[in-house]
Coordinates of all heavy atoms in Angstrom, one line a residue:
M877 N -20.5 17.7 -6.8 CA -21.4 17.1 -7.8 C -21.3 15.5 -7.7 O -22.2 14.8 -8.0 CB -20.9 17.5 -9.2 CG -21.9 17.0 -10.3 SD -21.5 17.6 -12.0 CE -21.6 19.3 -11.9
D878 N -20.1 15.1 -7.2 CA -19.9 13.6 -7.1 C -21.0 13.0 -6.1 O -21.5 12.0 -6.4 CB -18.5 13.3 -6.6 CG -17.5 13.6 -7.7 OD1 -17.8 13.6 -8.8 OD2 -16.3 13.7 -7.3
K879 N -21.2 13.7 -5.0 CA -22.2 13.2 -4.0 C -23.6 13.1 -4.6 O -24.3 12.2 -4.4 CB -22.1 14.0 -2.7 CG -23.2 13.6 -1.8 CD -22.9 13.9 -0.4 CE -24.0 13.3 0.5 NZ -23.6 12.9 1.8
V880 N -24.0 14.2 -5.3 CA -25.3 14.2 -6.0 C -25.4 13.1 -6.9 O -26.4 12.3 -6.9 CB -25.5 15.6 -6.7 CG1 -26.8 15.5 -7.5 CG2 -25.7 16.7 -5.6
M881 N -24.4 12.9 -7.8 CA -24.5 11.8 -8.8 C -24.5 10.4 -8.1 O -25.2 9.5 -8.6 CB -23.4 11.9 -9.8 CG -23.5 13.1 -10.7 SD -25.2 13.3 -11.5 CE -25.2 11.8 -12.5
K882 N -23.7 10.3 -7.0 CA -23.7 9.0 -6.3 C -25.1 8.7 -5.7 O -25.6 7.6 -5.9 CB -22.6 9.0 -5.2 CG -22.5 7.8 -4.4 CD -21.5 7.9 -3.3 CE -21.3 6.6 -2.5 NZ -22.4 6.1 -1.9
L883 N -25.7 9.7 -5.1 CA -27.0 9.5 -4.5 C -28.0 9.2 -5.5 O -28.9 8.4 -5.4 CB -27.4 10.7 -3.6 CG -26.6 10.8 -2.3 CD1 -26.9 12.2 -1.6 CD2 -26.8 9.7 -1.4
A884 N -27.9 10.0 -6.7 CA -28.9 9.9 -7.7 C -28.9 8.5 -8.4 O -29.9 8.0 -8.9 CB -28.7 10.9 -8.8
S885 N -27.7 7.8 -8.4 CA -27.6 6.6 -9.1 C -27.8 5.4 -8.2 O -27.9 4.2 -8.6 CB -26.2 6.5 -9.7 OG -25.2 6.5 -8.7
E886 N -28.0 5.6 -6.9 CA -28.2 4.5 -5.9 C -29.6 3.9 -5.9 O -29.8 2.8 -5.5 CB -27.8 4.9 -4.5 CG -26.4 5.1 -4.3 CD -26.0 5.6 -2.9 OE1 -27.0 6.1 -2.2 OE2 -24.8 5.6 -2.5
N887 N -30.6 4.7 -6.5 CA -31.9 4.2 -6.5 C -32.6 4.6 -7.8 O -32.1 5.6 -8.5 CB -32.7 4.9 -5.4 CG -32.3 4.4 -4.0 OD1 -32.6 3.3 -3.6 ND2 -31.5 5.2 -3.3
G888 N -33.6 4.0 -8.2 CA -34.2 4.2 -9.5 C -34.8 5.6 -9.7 O -34.6 6.2 -10.7
V889 N -35.5 6.1 -8.6 CA -36.1 7.4 -8.7 C -35.7 8.2 -7.5 O -35.9 7.8 -6.4 CB -37.7 7.3 -8.8 CG1 -38.3 8.7 -8.9 CG2 -38.1 6.5 -10.0
V890 N -35.1 9.3 -7.7 CA -34.5 10.1 -6.6 C -35.0 11.6 -6.8 O -34.9 12.1 -7.9 CB -33.0 10.1 -6.6 CG1 -32.4 11.0 -5.5 CG2 -32.5 8.6 -6.4
I891 N -35.4 12.2 -5.7 CA -35.8 13.6 -5.7 C -34.9 14.3 -4.7 O -34.8 13.9 -3.5 CB -37.3 13.8 -5.2 CG1 -38.2 13.1 -6.2 CG2 -37.6 15.3 -5.2 CD1 -39.7 13.1 -5.7
F892 N -34.2 15.3 -5.1 CA -33.5 16.2 -4.2 C -34.5 17.4 -3.9 O -35.1 18.0 -4.8 CB -32.2 16.8 -4.8 CG -31.2 15.7 -4.9 CD1 -31.1 14.9 -6.1 CD2 -30.4 15.4 -3.9 CE1 -30.1 13.9 -6.2 CE2 -29.4 14.4 -4.0 CZ -29.3 13.7 -5.1
S893 N -34.7 17.6 -2.6 CA -35.7 18.5 -2.1 C -35.2 19.4 -1.0 O -34.1 19.2 -0.5 CB -36.9 17.6 -1.7 OG -37.9 18.4 -1.1
K894 N -36.1 20.2 -0.5 CA -35.9 20.9 0.7 C -37.2 20.7 1.5 O -38.3 20.5 0.9 CB -35.7 22.4 0.6 CG -34.4 22.8 0.0 CD -34.1 24.3 0.0 CE -32.7 24.6 -0.5 NZ -32.4 26.0 -0.6
S895 N -37.1 20.6 2.8 CA -38.3 20.2 3.6 C -39.4 21.2 3.5 O -40.6 20.8 3.7 CB -37.8 20.1 5.1 OG -37.3 21.3 5.6
S896 N -39.2 22.4 3.1 CA -40.3 23.4 3.0 C -40.8 23.5 1.6 O -41.6 24.4 1.3 CB -39.8 24.7 3.5 OG -38.7 25.2 2.7
C897 N -40.3 22.7 0.6 CA -40.7 22.9 -0.8 C -42.0 22.2 -1.1 O -42.0 21.0 -1.2 CB -39.5 22.4 -1.7 SG -39.9 22.6 -3.4
C898 N -43.0 23.0 -1.4 CA -44.3 22.4 -1.8 C -44.3 21.7 -3.1 O -45.0 20.8 -3.4 CB -45.4 23.4 -1.7 SG -45.2 24.8 -2.8
L899 N -43.4 22.2 -4.1 CA -43.4 21.6 -5.4 C -42.7 20.2 -5.3 O -43.1 19.3 -6.0 CB -42.6 22.5 -6.3 CG -43.3 23.8 -6.7 CD1 -42.4 24.6 -7.6 CD2 -44.6 23.5 -7.4
S900 N -41.8 20.0 -4.4 CA -41.2 18.7 -4.1 C -42.2 17.8 -3.6 O -42.3 16.6 -4.0 CB -40.0 18.8 -3.1 OG -39.0 19.6 -3.7
Y901 N -43.0 18.2 -2.7 CA -44.1 17.4 -2.2 C -45.1 17.0 -3.3 O -45.5 15.9 -3.4 CB -44.9 18.2 -1.1 CG -46.1 17.5 -0.6 CD1 -46.0 16.5 0.3 CD2 -47.4 17.8 -1.1 CE1 -47.1 15.8 0.8 CE2 -48.5 17.1 -0.7 CZ -48.4 16.1 0.2 OH -49.5 15.4 0.6
A902 N -45.4 17.9 -4.2 CA -46.3 17.6 -5.3 C -45.7 16.6 -6.2 O -46.4 15.7 -6.7 CB -46.7 18.9 -6.1
V903 N -44.4 16.7 -6.6 CA -43.8 15.7 -7.4 C -43.8 14.4 -6.8 O -44.1 13.3 -7.4 CB -42.4 16.2 -7.8 CG1 -41.6 15.1 -8.5 CG2 -42.5 17.4 -8.7
N904 N -43.4 14.3 -5.5 CA -43.4 13.1 -4.7 C -44.8 12.5 -4.7 O -45.0 11.3 -4.9 CB -42.9 13.3 -3.3 CG -42.7 12.1 -2.5 OD1 -42.8 11.0 -3.0 ND2 -42.4 12.2 -1.2
F905 N -45.8 13.3 -4.5 CA -47.2 12.8 -4.5 C -47.6 12.2 -5.9 O -48.2 11.1 -5.9 CB -48.2 13.9 -4.1 CG -49.6 13.5 -3.9 CD1 -50.0 12.9 -2.7 CD2 -50.5 13.6 -4.9 CE1 -51.3 12.4 -2.5 CE2 -51.8 13.1 -4.7 CZ -52.2 12.6 -3.5
L906 N -47.2 12.9 -6.9 CA -47.5 12.3 -8.3 C -46.8 11.0 -8.4 O -47.5 10.0 -8.9 CB -46.9 13.3 -9.3 CG -47.0 12.8 -10.8 CD1 -48.4 12.5 -11.2 CD2 -46.2 13.7 -11.7
F907 N -45.6 10.8 -8.0 CA -44.9 9.5 -8.2 C -45.6 8.4 -7.4 O -45.8 7.3 -7.8 CB -43.4 9.6 -7.8 CG -42.6 10.3 -8.8 CD1 -41.5 11.1 -8.4 CD2 -42.8 10.2 -10.1 CE1 -40.7 11.7 -9.3 CE2 -42.0 10.8 -11.1 CZ -41.0 11.6 -10.6
Q908 N -46.1 8.8 -6.2 CA -46.8 7.8 -5.3 C -48.1 7.4 -6.1 O -48.4 6.2 -6.0 CB -47.1 8.4 -4.0 CG -46.0 8.8 -3.1 CD -45.2 7.6 -2.6 OE1 -45.7 6.6 -2.4 NE2 -43.9 7.9 -2.4
E909 N -48.8 8.3 -6.7 CA -50.0 8.0 -7.4 C -49.7 7.1 -8.6 O -50.5 6.3 -9.0 CB -50.7 9.3 -7.9 CG -51.3 10.1 -6.9 CD -52.5 9.4 -6.3 OE1 -53.4 9.0 -7.0 OE2 -52.6 9.3 -5.0
L910 N -48.4 7.2 -9.1 CA -48.0 6.3 -10.3 C -47.3 5.1 -9.8 O -46.7 4.4 -10.6 CB -47.1 7.2 -11.2 CG -47.7 8.4 -11.9 CD1 -46.7 9.2 -12.6 CD2 -48.9 7.9 -12.8
R911 N -47.5 4.7 -8.5 CA -47.0 3.5 -7.9 C -45.4 3.5 -7.9 O -44.8 2.4 -8.1 CB -47.5 2.3 -8.6 CG -49.0 2.2 -8.6 CD -49.6 0.9 -9.2 NE -48.8 0.2 -10.1 CZ -48.8 0.3 -11.5 NH1 -49.6 1.2 -12.0 NH2 -48.0 -0.4 -12.3
V912 N -44.8 4.6 -7.7 CA -43.4 4.7 -7.5 C -43.1 5.3 -6.2 O -43.7 6.3 -5.8 CB -42.8 5.5 -8.7 CG1 -41.3 5.8 -8.4 CG2 -43.0 4.8 -10.0
S913 N -42.1 4.7 -5.5 CA -41.7 5.3 -4.2 C -40.3 5.8 -4.3 O -39.3 5.1 -4.2 CB -41.7 4.2 -3.1 OG -43.0 3.7 -2.9
P914 N -40.2 7.1 -4.6 CA -38.9 7.7 -4.8 C -38.1 7.9 -3.5 O -38.7 7.9 -2.4 CB -39.2 9.1 -5.4 CG -40.5 9.4 -4.9 CD -41.3 8.1 -4.8
V915 N -36.8 7.9 -3.6 CA -36.0 8.2 -2.4 C -35.9 9.8 -2.4 O -35.5 10.4 -3.5 CB -34.6 7.6 -2.5 CG1 -33.7 8.1 -1.4 CG2 -34.8 6.1 -2.4
V916 N -36.2 10.4 -1.3 CA -36.1 11.9 -1.2 C -35.0 12.3 -0.3 O -34.9 11.8 0.8 CB -37.5 12.4 -0.7 CG1 -37.4 13.9 -0.5 CG2 -38.6 12.0 -1.6
H917 N -34.1 13.1 -0.9 CA -33.0 13.7 -0.1 C -33.3 15.1 0.2 O -33.3 15.9 -0.8 CB -31.7 13.5 -0.9 CG -31.2 12.1 -1.0 ND1 -30.7 11.4 0.0 CD2 -31.3 11.3 -2.1 CE1 -30.4 10.1 -0.5 NE2 -30.8 10.1 -1.8
E918 N -33.6 15.5 1.4 CA -33.9 16.9 1.7 C -32.5 17.5 2.0 O -31.9 17.3 3.1 CB -34.8 16.9 2.9 CG -36.2 16.5 2.6 CD -37.2 16.6 3.7 OE1 -36.8 16.8 4.9 OE2 -38.4 16.5 3.4
I919 N -32.1 18.3 1.1 CA -30.7 18.9 1.2 C -30.5 19.8 2.3 O -29.4 20.1 2.7 CB -30.2 19.4 -0.2 CG1 -31.1 20.6 -0.6 CG2 -30.2 18.4 -1.2 CD1 -30.6 21.3 -1.9
D920 N -31.6 20.4 2.8 CA -31.5 21.3 4.0 C -31.3 20.5 5.3 O -31.0 21.1 6.3 CB -32.7 22.2 4.1 CG -34.1 21.6 4.1 OD1 -34.2 20.4 3.6 OD2 -35.0 22.1 4.7
H921 N -31.4 19.2 5.2 CA -31.1 18.4 6.4 C -29.7 17.6 6.2 O -29.4 16.8 7.0 CB -32.2 17.4 6.6 CG -33.5 18.0 7.1 ND1 -33.8 18.0 8.4 CD2 -34.4 18.7 6.4 CE1 -35.0 18.7 8.5 NE2 -35.3 19.1 7.3
E922 N -29.1 17.8 5.1 CA -27.8 17.1 4.7 C -26.6 18.0 5.2 O -26.6 19.2 5.0 CB -27.7 16.9 3.2 CG -28.7 15.9 2.7 CD -28.3 14.5 2.8 OE1 -27.1 14.2 3.1 OE2 -29.2 13.6 2.7
P923 N -25.6 17.3 5.8 CA -24.4 18.1 6.2 C -23.8 18.8 5.1 O -23.2 19.9 5.2 CB -23.5 17.1 6.8 CG -24.4 15.9 7.1 CD -25.5 15.9 6.2
E924 N -23.8 18.2 3.9 CA -23.2 18.8 2.7 C -24.3 19.5 1.8 O -24.1 19.6 0.6 CB -22.5 17.7 1.9 CG -21.3 17.1 2.7 CD -20.7 16.0 2.0 OE1 -20.5 16.0 0.7 OE2 -20.4 15.0 2.6
G925 N -25.4 19.9 2.4 CA -26.5 20.4 1.6 C -26.2 21.6 0.7 O -26.6 21.7 -0.4
R926 N -25.4 22.5 1.2 CA -25.0 23.7 0.4 C -24.2 23.3 -0.8 O -24.5 23.8 -1.9 CB -24.2 24.7 1.2 CG -25.0 25.5 2.2 CD -24.6 26.9 2.3 NE -25.2 27.7 3.3 CZ -26.3 28.4 3.2 NH1 -26.9 28.4 2.0 NH2 -26.9 29.0 4.2
E927 N -23.3 22.4 -0.6 CA -22.5 21.9 -1.8 C -23.4 21.2 -2.8 O -23.2 21.3 -4.0 CB -21.3 21.0 -1.3 CG -20.2 21.7 -0.6 CD -20.6 22.0 0.9 OE1 -21.5 21.4 1.4 OE2 -20.0 22.9 1.5
M928 N -24.3 20.4 -2.2 CA -25.3 19.7 -3.1 C -26.1 20.6 -3.9 O -26.4 20.4 -5.1 CB -26.1 18.7 -2.3 CG -25.3 17.6 -1.6 SD -26.2 16.6 -0.4 CE -27.4 15.8 -1.4
E929 N -26.6 21.7 -3.2 CA -27.4 22.7 -3.9 C -26.6 23.4 -5.0 O -27.1 23.5 -6.2 CB -27.9 23.7 -2.9 CG -28.8 24.7 -3.5 CD -29.5 25.6 -2.4 OE1 -29.2 25.5 -1.2 OE2 -30.3 26.5 -2.8
K930 N -25.4 23.7 -4.8 CA -24.5 24.3 -5.8 C -24.3 23.3 -7.0 O -24.3 23.7 -8.1 CB -23.2 24.7 -5.2 CG -23.2 25.9 -4.3 CD -21.9 26.3 -3.7 CE -22.0 27.4 -2.6 NZ -20.8 27.6 -1.9
A931 N -24.1 22.1 -6.6 CA -23.9 21.1 -7.7 C -25.2 20.9 -8.6 O -25.1 20.9 -9.8 CB -23.6 19.7 -7.1
L932 N -26.3 21.0 -8.0 CA -27.6 20.9 -8.7 C -27.7 22.1 -9.6 O -28.1 22.0 -10.8 CB -28.8 20.7 -7.8 CG -28.9 19.4 -7.1 CD1 -29.9 19.5 -5.9 CD2 -29.3 18.3 -8.0
I933 N -27.4 23.3 -9.1 CA -27.4 24.5 -9.9 C -26.5 24.4 -11.1 O -26.8 24.7 -12.2 CB -27.2 25.7 -9.1 CG1 -28.3 26.0 -8.1 CG2 -26.9 27.0 -10.0 CD1 -28.1 27.0 -7.1
G934 N -25.3 23.8 -10.8 CA -24.3 23.6 -11.9 C -24.7 22.6 -12.9 O -24.2 22.7 -14.1
M935 N -25.6 21.7 -12.6 CA -26.1 20.8 -13.5 C -27.3 21.3 -14.3 O -27.9 20.6 -15.2 CB -26.6 19.5 -12.8 CG -25.5 18.8 -12.1 SD -26.1 17.5 -11.0 CE -26.3 16.2 -12.1
G936 N -27.7 22.6 -14.0 CA -28.8 23.2 -14.8 C -30.1 23.2 -14.1 O -31.1 23.6 -14.6
C937 N -30.2 22.8 -12.8 CA -31.4 22.9 -12.0 C -31.6 24.3 -11.4 O -30.9 24.6 -10.5 CB -31.4 21.8 -10.9 SG -31.3 20.2 -11.5
T938 N -32.5 25.0 -12.0 CA -32.8 26.4 -11.5 C -34.3 26.5 -11.5 O -34.9 26.6 -12.5 CB -32.2 27.4 -12.5 OG1 -31.0 27.0 -13.0 CG2 -32.0 28.7 -11.7
P939 N -34.9 26.5 -10.3 CA -34.3 26.4 -9.0 C -33.7 25.0 -8.7 O -34.1 24.1 -9.4 CB -35.4 26.7 -8.1 CG -36.7 26.3 -8.8 CD -36.3 26.6 -10.3
P940 N -32.9 24.9 -7.7 CA -32.2 23.6 -7.5 C -33.1 22.5 -7.0 O -32.8 21.3 -7.1 CB -31.1 23.9 -6.5 CG -31.6 25.2 -5.8 CD -32.4 25.9 -6.8
V941 N -34.3 22.8 -6.4 CA -35.2 21.8 -6.0 C -36.6 22.1 -6.4 O -37.0 23.3 -6.6 CB -35.2 21.6 -4.4 CG1 -33.9 21.1 -3.9 CG2 -35.6 22.9 -3.7
P942 N -37.4 21.1 -6.7 CA -37.0 19.7 -6.7 C -36.2 19.4 -8.0 O -36.4 19.9 -9.0 CB -38.4 19.0 -6.8 CG -39.3 19.9 -7.5 CD -38.8 21.3 -7.1
A943 N -35.2 18.5 -7.7 CA -34.4 18.0 -8.8 C -34.7 16.5 -8.9 O -34.5 15.8 -7.9 CB -33.0 18.2 -8.6
V944 N -35.2 16.0 -10.0 CA -35.7 14.6 -10.2 C -34.7 13.9 -11.1 O -34.4 14.3 -12.2 CB -37.1 14.6 -10.7 CG1 -37.5 13.1 -11.0 CG2 -38.1 15.3 -9.8
F945 N -34.3 12.7 -10.6 CA -33.4 11.8 -11.3 C -34.2 10.5 -11.5 O -34.8 10.0 -10.5 CB -32.1 11.5 -10.6 CG -31.2 12.7 -10.6 CD1 -31.4 13.7 -9.7 CD2 -30.1 12.7 -11.4 CE1 -30.5 14.8 -9.7 CE2 -29.2 13.8 -11.4 CZ -29.4 14.8 -10.5
I946 N -34.2 9.9 -12.7 CA -34.8 8.6 -13.0 C -33.7 7.8 -13.6 O -33.2 8.2 -14.7 CB -36.1 8.7 -13.9 CG1 -37.1 9.6 -13.2 CG2 -36.6 7.4 -14.2 CD1 -38.4 9.9 -14.0
G947 N -33.4 6.7 -13.0 CA -32.4 5.8 -13.6 C -31.0 6.5 -13.6 O -30.2 6.2 -14.5
G948 N -30.8 7.3 -12.6 CA -29.5 8.0 -12.5 C -29.3 9.2 -13.5 O -28.3 9.8 -13.5
T949 N -30.4 9.5 -14.3 CA -30.3 10.6 -15.2 C -31.2 11.8 -14.7 O -32.3 11.6 -14.3 CB -30.8 10.1 -16.6 OG1 -30.0 9.1 -17.0 CG2 -30.8 11.3 -17.6
L950 N -30.6 13.0 -14.8 CA -31.4 14.1 -14.4 C -32.6 14.4 -15.4 O -32.4 14.5 -16.6 CB -30.5 15.4 -14.4 CG -31.2 16.7 -14.1 CD1 -31.8 16.7 -12.7 CD2 -30.2 17.8 -14.3
V951 N -33.8 14.4 -14.9 CA -35.0 14.6 -15.7 C -35.3 16.1 -15.6 O -35.6 16.7 -16.6 CB -36.2 13.8 -15.1 CG1 -37.5 14.3 -15.8 CG2 -35.9 12.4 -15.4
G952 N -35.1 16.7 -14.4 CA -35.3 18.2 -14.3 C -36.2 18.4 -13.1 O -36.2 17.7 -12.1
S953 N -36.9 19.5 -13.1 CA -37.7 20.0 -12.0 C -39.2 19.7 -12.3 O -39.5 18.9 -13.1 CB -37.4 21.5 -11.8 OG -38.0 21.9 -10.6
T954 N -40.0 20.4 -11.6 CA -41.5 20.2 -11.7 C -42.0 20.4 -13.1 O -42.8 19.5 -13.6 CB -42.2 21.2 -10.7 OG1 -41.6 21.1 -9.4 CG2 -43.7 20.8 -10.6
N955 N -41.5 21.4 -13.8 CA -42.0 21.6 -15.1 C -41.7 20.5 -16.1 O -42.6 20.0 -16.8 CB -41.4 22.9 -15.7 CG -42.0 24.2 -15.1 OD1 -43.1 24.1 -14.5 ND2 -41.3 25.3 -15.2
E956 N -40.5 20.0 -16.0 CA -40.1 18.9 -16.9 C -40.9 17.6 -16.5 O -41.3 16.9 -17.4 CB -38.6 18.6 -16.8 CG -37.8 19.7 -17.4 CD -37.6 20.9 -16.5 OE1 -37.9 20.9 -15.3 OE2 -37.1 22.0 -17.0
V957 N -41.0 17.3 -15.2 CA -41.8 16.1 -14.8 C -43.2 16.2 -15.3 O -43.8 15.3 -15.8 CB -41.7 15.9 -13.3 CG1 -42.6 14.9 -12.8 CG2 -40.2 15.6 -12.9
M958 N -43.8 17.4 -15.1 CA -45.3 17.5 -15.5 C -45.4 17.5 -17.0 O -46.4 16.9 -17.5 CB -45.8 18.8 -14.9 CG -46.0 18.8 -13.4 SD -46.8 17.4 -12.7 CE -48.5 17.6 -13.4
S959 N -44.5 18.0 -17.7 CA -44.5 17.9 -19.2 C -44.5 16.5 -19.7 O -45.2 16.1 -20.5 CB -43.4 18.7 -19.8 OG -43.6 20.1 -19.6
L960 N -43.6 15.7 -19.0 CA -43.4 14.3 -19.4 C -44.7 13.6 -19.0 O -45.2 12.7 -19.8 CB -42.3 13.7 -18.6 CG -40.9 14.0 -19.2 CD1 -39.8 13.6 -18.2 CD2 -40.7 13.4 -20.5
H961 N -45.3 13.9 -17.9 CA -46.5 13.2 -17.4 C -47.7 13.6 -18.4 O -48.4 12.6 -18.8 CB -46.9 13.7 -16.0 CG -48.1 13.1 -15.5 ND1 -48.3 11.7 -15.4 CD2 -49.2 13.6 -14.9 CE1 -49.5 11.5 -14.9 NE2 -50.1 12.6 -14.6
L962 N -47.9 14.8 -18.7 CA -49.0 15.2 -19.6 C -48.8 14.7 -21.0 O -49.8 14.4 -21.7 CB -49.1 16.7 -19.7 CG -49.5 17.4 -18.3 CD1 -49.5 18.9 -18.4 CD2 -50.9 16.9 -17.9
S963 N -47.6 14.4 -21.5 CA -47.4 13.9 -22.8 C -47.4 12.3 -22.8 O -47.3 11.7 -23.9 CB -46.0 14.3 -23.4 OG -44.9 13.7 -22.6
G964 N -47.5 11.7 -21.6 CA -47.6 10.3 -21.5 C -46.2 9.6 -21.5 O -46.2 8.4 -21.5
K965 N -45.2 10.4 -21.4 CA -43.8 9.8 -21.5 C -43.3 9.4 -20.1 O -42.4 8.6 -20.0 CB -42.9 10.7 -22.2 CG -43.2 10.9 -23.6 CD -42.3 11.9 -24.3 CE -42.7 12.2 -25.7 NZ -42.0 13.3 -26.3
L966 N -43.9 10.0 -19.0 CA -43.4 9.7 -17.7 C -43.6 8.3 -17.3 O -42.7 7.7 -16.7 CB -44.0 10.7 -16.7 CG -43.5 10.6 -15.3 CD1 -42.0 10.9 -15.2 CD2 -44.3 11.5 -14.3
N967 N -44.7 7.7 -17.6 CA -45.0 6.3 -17.2 C -44.0 5.4 -17.9 O -43.6 4.4 -17.2 CB -46.4 5.9 -17.7 CG -47.4 6.0 -16.5 OD1 -47.0 6.0 -15.4 ND2 -48.7 6.2 -16.9
T968 N -43.6 5.7 -19.1 CA -42.6 4.8 -19.7 C -41.3 4.9 -19.0 O -40.6 3.8 -18.8 CB -42.4 5.3 -21.2 OG1 -43.6 5.3 -21.9 CG2 -41.4 4.4 -21.9
L969 N -40.8 6.1 -18.6 CA -39.6 6.2 -17.8 C -39.7 5.5 -16.4 O -38.7 5.0 -16.0 CB -39.3 7.7 -17.6 CG -38.8 8.5 -18.8 CD1 -38.7 10.0 -18.4 CD2 -37.5 7.9 -19.4
L970 N -40.9 5.6 -15.8 CA -41.1 5.0 -14.5 C -41.4 3.5 -14.5 O -41.3 2.9 -13.4 CB -42.2 5.8 -13.8 CG -41.9 7.2 -13.5 CD1 -43.2 7.9 -12.9 CD2 -40.7 7.4 -12.6
Q971 N -41.7 3.0 -15.6 CA -42.2 1.6 -15.6 C -41.3 0.6 -14.9 O -41.8 -0.2 -14.1 CB -42.4 1.1 -17.1 CG -43.3 0.0 -17.2 CD -43.7 -0.2 -18.7 OE1 -43.0 0.3 -19.6 NE2 -44.8 -0.8 -18.9
P972 N -40.0 0.7 -15.0 CA -39.1 -0.3 -14.3 C -39.2 -0.2 -12.8 O -38.8 -1.1 -12.1 CB -37.7 0.0 -14.8 CG -37.9 0.8 -16.0 CD -39.2 1.5 -15.9
Y973 N -39.7 1.0 -12.3 CA -39.6 1.2 -10.9 C -41.0 1.2 -10.2 O -41.2 1.5 -9.0 CB -39.0 2.6 -10.6 CG -37.7 2.8 -11.4 CD1 -37.6 3.6 -12.5 CD2 -36.6 2.0 -11.0 CE1 -36.5 3.7 -13.2 CE2 -35.4 2.1 -11.8 CZ -35.4 2.9 -12.9 OH -34.2 3.0 -13.6
Q974 N -42.0 0.9 -11.0 CA -43.4 0.9 -10.5 C -43.7 -0.4 -9.8 O -43.3 -1.5 -10.2 CB -44.4 1.0 -11.6 CG -44.4 2.4 -12.2 CD -45.3 2.6 -13.4 OE1 -45.4 1.7 -14.2 NE2 -46.0 3.7 -13.5
A975 N -44.4 -0.3 -8.6 CA -44.8 -1.4 -7.9 C -46.0 -2.1 -8.6 O -46.8 -1.5 -9.3 CB -45.3 -1.0 -6.5
A976 N -46.0 -3.4 -8.5 CA -47.1 -4.2 -9.1 C -48.4 -3.9 -8.5 O -48.5 -3.6 -7.3 CB -46.8 -5.7 -9.0
L977 N -49.5 -3.9 -9.3 CA -50.8 -3.7 -8.7 C -51.2 -4.9 -7.9 O -50.9 -6.1 -8.2 CB -51.8 -3.6 -9.8 CG -51.7 -2.3 -10.6 CD1 -52.7 -2.3 -11.8 CD2 -52.0 -1.1 -9.7
A978 N -51.8 -4.7 -6.7 CA -52.2 -5.8 -5.8 C -53.4 -6.4 -6.3 O -54.3 -6.0 -6.9 CB -52.3 -5.2 -4.4

């Protein structure tokens, strides 16, 4: 769990993913549309990926990917991110990490 929390706190928006996860791709695409460039950690490419997956499950992420952290805090998976987006609350959480409009 320490590695997950360390990685999650190193950047404003972090997604733990697997390279084959279409929902992770969709969440990442949503963030890009909202002018946020998340750091994506594909746990199936990480040497400690199995331990990271177990840690995410232990934190309540079921399924373990995508697991989204904003400001070092676990937001949840696709359902939680989409619920926040549809309610208008996601933009507020992402505001400190959004790129300025050109």
Side-chain angles (χ1 to χ4, degrees):
M877 188 176 303
D878 291 340
K879 175 152 183 151
V880 169
M881 291 310 296
K882 180 181 182 306
L883 292 172
S885 64
E886 288 177 347
N887 295 282
V889 180
V890 176
I891 301 172
F892 289 92
S893 174
K894 288 187 178 178
S895 55
S896 61
C897 180
C898 62
L899 293 176
S900 296
Y901 174 81
V903 169
N904 187 8
F905 187 81
L906 172 64
F907 286 146
Q908 297 291 332
E909 289 291 310
L910 296 173
R911 301 184 337 268
V912 172
S913 296
V915 172
V916 178
H917 295 284
E918 292 183 344
I919 62 175
D920 54 334
H921 291 258
E922 295 276 342
E924 298 174 39
R926 287 219 187 267
E927 291 79 18
M928 294 168 71
E929 186 171 2
K930 288 177 186 174
L932 290 166
I933 291 169
M935 298 169 83
C937 296
T938 323
V941 294
V944 177
F945 289 77
I946 300 175
T949 301
L950 175 63
V951 171
S953 190
T954 310
N955 287 343
E956 291 80 14
V957 170
M958 292 309 296
S959 292
L960 287 168
H961 180 56
L962 293 172
S963 70
K965 296 176 183 172
L966 184 60
N967 263 337
T968 304
L969 290 173
L970 295 175
Q971 203 166 22
Y973 313 106
Q974 288 176 321
L977 291 172

